[in-house]
Amino acid sequence: MISANAVMNGSYDHGEVARSVVIAITASYAALDLAGRVTAARGRVRLAWLGGGAIAMGIGIWEMHFKGMLAFHLPVPVEYHWPTVLASFLVALLASAVALYVSSREKMGPAEALTGSVIMGAGIVGMHYTGMAAMRLPAVTRFSPLLVTCSILLAILFSLLALLMAFDLREETRWSVPRRLGSATLMGAAVSAMHYAGMAAADFIPASPPDLSYAVTITPYANSGVVIATLFLLVAALATSSVDRRARVEVSEQMRQAQEDLARVTRVVAMGELAAAIAHEINQPLTAIVTNGNFSLRRLESGTPNANDLRAAITEIVNDGTRASAVISRIRGLLMKGAPIRTEVDINQIIQDVTNLLRIELSRNRVSLSTELASDLPRVPGDPVQLQQVLINLVMNASEALRTSTDGGREILIRSAKNPDGVLVQVQDSGPGVDPELGDRIFEPFFTTKANGVGMGLSISYSIIESHGGRLRIVPTSTGALFEFTLPTDGAAAS
Ligand code: ADP
């Protein structure tokens, strides 16, 4: 039996303890920051961030523990079995990879958070006790079961805390840096508490000299060298992360600008195509106003004006004036420069609006427009004005194609239907159709087969649908041309 007196008295170098806590906080900050990068990335880049992040975070956590062990001084020389030290580092790496993976996923339910924290906690405990097993000193280690249990529970608790914080901080906000700093301090304190509880769980009882094969002494130089290398690595990881974040932000400002410009160009082009229809729409009420005005004047000049006739004529003047002003407001709405909007759109409503807008122009071309609209459509996120423009482009193209057809009816059919991830809209005409040899070239900017065509309508429509997360395509059909586009219910993410 070993007497309690035989336990070696160890002491802590407080400076080293403080430095280990600083490393823990820095590693935690890097971990929280890198979790955000893993979340933001996709495909191979995501894998690269996960790998790089796990290495930086693994080294950080491992170095904190190792530093904590070096902060503990025993009255006997201590060497370290380097293969075991390496094994403890690999365990830290694995725990970090699990932590980054779990906290960067799209969803983290209670089950995932708990499983993740048990795996991560087990990894940290494994790293800590493997690290202690690497110690070579003329003593045997005796563990207090109560304190070991405490350190395990603390590790799991700390992991849960870390995962929740990292998950919560993944999205970039104005408060990201101060919040990350606060969370990192808490996490760093928790890692340190776990480590020092684990150290307190161990007593060293003098024994015969150990087997020193593969053991190395950690000199003060090596100790400081590892700290500097770790901090350098963490700072490099943070700097790379910051550059990546800035680049992403910049690309997404530029993209928004390009989209806004595109939306504006679309409106202007749609305006050009609509010019004739609008002139007609305004001209009609104006002619009616002049006719009714002249009629009223003649009645007044006749000396015996009929009040009922005058009331009817003036009422028509007011109605026609209101109609003309509604047309003007619609044109202003189309021309206004504005950021792309995402609202919950009822696509059937958009189809009806466009049908109403183009009714007169189509009837002038003797084109009959019919609709087959599904009643159970989900709403989809989208910009109503942009979607109107796409439909106007497709219908105007169909109408133009029908102008050349002399035989058979001039018909346009707009259909809406539900599809697995949102809605499907089709515009079909009974015209000559698109030459299959042209293929997808019709979607290229400035491609036109018309003498006075611009060749931008389909290309802009394609971009608009793409920015909504959907697809615009031409479908082979036996009669005329059939264009269709999809709009997903989760299309907001794509914009
Ligand atoms: P534009 O109408 O100015 O030519 P678009 O990009 O809208 O530009 O259309 C590109 C080309 O696609 C048209 O010139 C035409 O050849 C073809 N196209 C588009 N819609 C139809 C249609 N409904 N029927 C036949 N051809 C069409």
Side-chain angles (χ1 to χ4, degrees), residues 273 393-394 397-401 429 431-435 438 441-444 446-450 452-459 474 480-483:
E273 288 177 351
N393 277 333
L394 295 180
N397 272 349
S399 166
E400 275 168 25
D429 62 60
V434 179
D435 184 350
L438 295 180
R441 285 181 60 204
I442 54 170
F443 295 105
E444 286 171 12
F446 305 113
F447 178 86
T448 181
T449 55
K450 300 171 192 166
N452 51 359
V454 182
M456 284 303 288
L458 284 182
S459 125
I474 179 159
L482 169 58
F483 285 85

Side-chain angles (χ1 to χ4, degrees), residues 58-358:
I59 290 184
I61 295 184
W62 172 81
E63 169 59 4
M64 180 272 142
H65 277 257
F66 201 61
K67 188 93 187 138
M69 274 165 65
L70 293 179
F72 187 63
H73 292 301
L74 284 167
V76 288
V78 182
E79 294 195 18
Y80 291 88
H81 183 248
W82 69 259
T84 314
V85 171
L86 191 70
S88 75
F89 166 63
L90 292 180
V91 178
L93 207 72
L94 222 75
S96 304
V98 170
L100 276 180
Y101 176 73
V102 174
S103 61
S104 66
R105 293 199 34 195
E106 233 160 72
K107 290 194 185 105
M108 185 172 74
E112 281 113 331
L114 268 177
T115 320
S117 50
V118 168
I119 297 177
M120 188 179 156
I124 290 175
V125 168
M127 169 196 69
H128 180 82
Y129 289 103
T130 317
M132 286 194 77
M135 288 171 94
R136 293 287 180 268
L137 69 167
V140 287
T141 320
R142 187 180 62 182
F143 289 102
S144 145
L146 184 71
L147 284 174
V148 169
T149 314
C150 267
S151 73
I152 295 174
L153 290 179
L154 269 173
I156 295 177
L157 206 73
F158 141 72
S159 304
L160 184 66
L161 192 80
L163 287 183
L164 293 177
M165 282 177 180
F167 190 78
D168 189 44
L169 280 165
R170 304 171 323 157
E171 307 300 337
E172 292 297 320
T173 67
R174 213 154 57 88
W175 295 103
S176 286
V177 173
R179 279 179 63 209
R180 221 181 275 141
L181 263 175
S183 303
T185 311
L186 209 68
M187 257 171 83
V191 183
S192 310
M194 182 268 141
H195 172 83
Y196 289 105
M199 291 298 281
D203 277 336
F204 299 92
I205 321 287
S208 47
D211 172 8
L212 288 179
S213 48
Y214 297 107
V216 287
T217 313
I218 309 287
T219 62
Y221 285 125
N223 182 359
S224 309
V226 176
V227 174
I228 291 169
T230 305
L231 288 178
F232 180 78
L233 191 93
L234 290 178
V235 169
L238 284 172
T240 318
S241 153
S242 158
V243 168
D244 180 69
R245 183 177 302 115
R246 263 163 225 254
R248 259 165 204 284
V249 168
E250 204 156 290
V251 165
S252 69
E253 250 155 27
Q254 283 172 4
M255 269 174 57
R256 200 173 311 129
Q257 183 63 48
Q259 252 175 17
E260 275 178 28
D261 290 348
L262 184 67
R264 187 143 178 274
V265 170
T266 316
R267 284 173 203 142
V268 173
V269 171
M271 267 298 298
E273 288 177 351
L274 272 180
I278 288 161
H280 185 83
E281 273 199 79
I282 296 179
N283 209 27
Q284 225 194 15
L286 282 181
T287 313
I289 288 170
V290 173
T291 311
N292 278 314
N294 281 333
F295 169 81
S296 307
L297 277 177
R298 277 201 307 275
R299 282 296 146 115
L300 283 171
E301 279 159 9
S302 72
T304 53
N306 180 321
N308 282 343
D309 283 353
L310 279 179
R311 193 175 299 117
I314 294 169
T315 307
E316 276 190 38
I317 291 175
V318 172
N319 287 346
D320 282 325
T322 315
R323 252 177 71 199
S325 113
V327 173
I328 303 282
S329 316
R330 270 206 312 260
I331 302 166
R332 226 189 355 230
L334 280 174
L335 271 180
M336 242 160 20
K337 182 181 176 182
I341 303 162
R342 287 290 178 268
T343 53
E344 291 296 311
V345 171
D346 171 357
I347 198 71
N348 284 345
Q349 187 58 50
I350 304 256
I351 294 173
Q352 257 143 25
D353 288 346
V354 169
T355 316
N356 289 339
L357 197 71
L358 299 180

